[in-house]
């Protein structure tokens, strides 16, 4: 490798993390980083004083363009669109560059869908990469004052989105265990008591797997669906569940005859009740491909 290649490879994991946080998809992040590499390879790198900042600027703007196109596609997506989960078992491979990306939890990725592309970029650069307002302004082609407004506006939107993003893995694991134990023991009143009145459950099956075509809102509706799913599973064979780390938080992995069928994770509110449930069934996002 030459020096320019070495620099890029040193930064690759950070760029993957940045683009994954921006786009919410593994393939989209990898494509954006590859496009960043092409621009880096074509540049006179000897004249670039701060390679890290240069690469972040290029990757961010590529991700912004990608996200704008993705939003148009997500408008016609079958059912709710949810960000792609990252299993901890996948990122233990030394050749995998998604280690840093996994630190961004799914609830935050989902909440960031409320932000504009520029708000999202400013928030991620500031909060996840500790970029200066000067660097953010250079990246977005605007003033530092405007960037401060972008970050402030994004923080306010996220604070009012419902789920907590600071819950510890231990708290999430305990709440998950209590909820799923209640469901599997058919104590649905106990399961309902763990949900907030305005809890939201989102399931993503894409066009490949059956899933709710709209968000489920409120504990009663959510429990009704979980009860039906549990009754269906009792009538079939080969179902198993296990707990694994997904995007830095515990999640329930549900499989049938050893084939991963769904990933379910949750986020609590400030009072420790379930505010948000994420259920991924799209096999493409589970790394299974079409059935």
């Amino acid at each position: 490798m030459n020096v320019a290649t070495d620099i890029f490879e040193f930064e690759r994991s950070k760029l993957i993390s940045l683009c994954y946080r921006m786009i919410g998809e593994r393939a989209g992040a990898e494509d954006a980083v590859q496009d960043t590499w092409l621009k880096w390879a074509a540049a006179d790198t000897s004249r670039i004083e701060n390679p890290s900042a240069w690469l972040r600027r290029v990757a961010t703007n590529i991700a912004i363009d990608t996200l704008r196109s993705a939003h148009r596609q997500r408008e016609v997506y079958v059912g709710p669109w949810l960000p792609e989960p990252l299993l901890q078992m996948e990122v233990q491979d030394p050749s995998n560059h998604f280690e840093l990306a996994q630190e961004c939890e799914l609830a935050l990725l989902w909440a960031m869908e409320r932000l504009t592309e520029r708000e999202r970029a400013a928030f991620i650069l500031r909060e996840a990469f500790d970029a200066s307002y000067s660097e953010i302004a250079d990246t977005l082609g605007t003033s530092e004052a405007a960037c401060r407004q972008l970050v402030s506006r994004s923080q306010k939107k996220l604070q009012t989105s419902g789920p907590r993003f600071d819950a510890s893995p231990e708290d999430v694991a305990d709440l998950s265990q209590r909820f799923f134990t209640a469901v599997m023991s058919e104590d649905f009143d106990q399961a309902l008591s763990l949900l907030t009145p305005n809890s939201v459950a989102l399931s993503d099956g894409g066009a490949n797997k059956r899933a709710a075509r709209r968000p489920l809102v409120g504990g009663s509706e959510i429990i009704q669906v979980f009860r039906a799913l549990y009754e269906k599973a009792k009538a079939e064979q080969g179902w198993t569940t296990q707990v694994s780390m997904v995007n830095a938080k515990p999640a329930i992995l549900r499989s049938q005859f050893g084939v991963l069928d769904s990933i379910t994770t949750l986020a609590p509110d400030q009072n420790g009740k379930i505010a948000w449930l994420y259920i991924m069934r799209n096999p493409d996002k589970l790394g299974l491909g079409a059935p």
Side-chain angles (χ1 to χ4, degrees), residues 25 28-29 35 46 63 65 81 89 108 115 120 125 134 157 165 168 174 176 191-193 218 224 252 264 287-288:
E25 295 177 341
D35 289 344
S46 64
D65 290 340
W81 181 93
M89 65 183 71
L108 179 56
L115 307 182
R120 188 163 180 155
L125 288 170
S134 174
K157 287 183 179 180
F165 311 123
S168 70
D174 176 67
S176 299
L192 179 61
S193 73
Q224 182 181 3
I252 301 295
T264 302
L288 304 175

Side-chain angles (χ1 to χ4, degrees), residues 199-213:
S199 295
V200 176
L202 296 161
S203 56
D204 182 343
N208 299 319
K209 280 282 189 175
R210 185 175 180 180
R213 297 293 180 88

Side-chain angles (χ1 to χ4, degrees), residues 68-81 206-207 213:
R68 285 172 177 158
S69 298
H71 278 157
R72 290 191 289 271
Q73 297 170 0
R74 292 169 191 176
E75 288 174 358
V76 296
Y77 191 80
V78 178
W81 181 93
R213 297 293 180 88

Side-chain angles (χ1 to χ4, degrees), residues 121-169:
F123 175 80
I124 291 169
L125 288 170
R126 183 64 180 171
E127 298 295 327
F129 294 89
D130 198 29
S132 67
Y133 284 106
S134 174
E135 179 185 332
I136 299 171
D138 182 55
T139 297
L140 300 180
T142 188
S143 66
E144 291 187 36
C147 290
R148 292 179 187 275
Q149 287 295 320
L150 285 171
V151 172
S152 176
R153 193 158 59 241
S154 65
Q155 290 171 334
K156 289 177 182 177
K157 287 183 179 180
L158 294 173
Q159 287 169 358
T160 59
S161 64
R164 285 173 55 196
F165 311 123
D166 61 348
S168 70

Side-chain angles (χ1 to χ4, degrees), residues 20 24 83-88 90-91 98 100-107 109 169 244-251 263 265 278:
Y20 171 75
E84 183 176 353
L86 297 176
L87 291 169
Q88 180 169 308
E90 295 175 341
V91 298
F98 281 83
L100 295 177
Q102 196 214 17
E103 295 174 2
C104 185
E105 61 183 280
L106 293 168
L109 277 178
S244 184
M245 296 297 288
V246 175
N247 288 61
K249 292 292 171 69
I263 291 175
T265 189
Y278 165 108

Side-chain angles (χ1 to χ4, degrees), residues 11-127:
E11 298 289 337
R12 183 185 288 273
S13 292
K14 298 175 188 175
L15 298 175
I16 285 282
S17 178
L18 168 61
C19 292
Y20 171 75
R21 291 165 190 262
M22 282 290 297
I23 301 166
E25 295 177 341
R26 179 194 294 266
E30 290 176 331
D31 289 346
V33 172
Q34 178 61 23
D35 289 344
T36 303
W37 159 252
L38 294 175
K39 290 183 178 295
W40 173 256
D44 183 356
T45 56
S46 64
R47 295 178 174 273
I48 298 174
E49 294 183 3
N50 188 335
S52 295
W54 189 96
L55 288 166
R56 275 198 301 267
R57 175 174 60 81
V58 172
T60 298
N61 282 287
I62 290 173
I64 286 174
D65 290 340
T66 302
L67 192 57
R68 285 172 177 158
S69 298
H71 278 157
R72 290 191 289 271
Q73 297 170 0
R74 292 169 191 176
E75 288 174 358
V76 296
Y77 191 80
V78 178
W81 181 93
L82 291 175
E84 183 176 353
L86 297 176
L87 291 169
Q88 180 169 308
M89 65 183 71
E90 295 175 341
V91 298
Q92 290 175 343
D93 182 350
S95 66
N96 194 305
H97 296 287
F98 281 83
E99 294 92 341
L100 295 177
Q102 196 214 17
E103 295 174 2
C104 185
E105 61 183 280
L106 293 168
L108 179 56
L109 277 178
W110 172 69
M112 284 196 293
E113 289 293 303
R114 293 166 167 76
L115 307 182
T116 68
E117 294 86 358
R118 289 166 66 83
E119 286 172 345
R120 188 163 180 155
F123 175 80
I124 291 169
L125 288 170
R126 183 64 180 171
E127 298 295 327

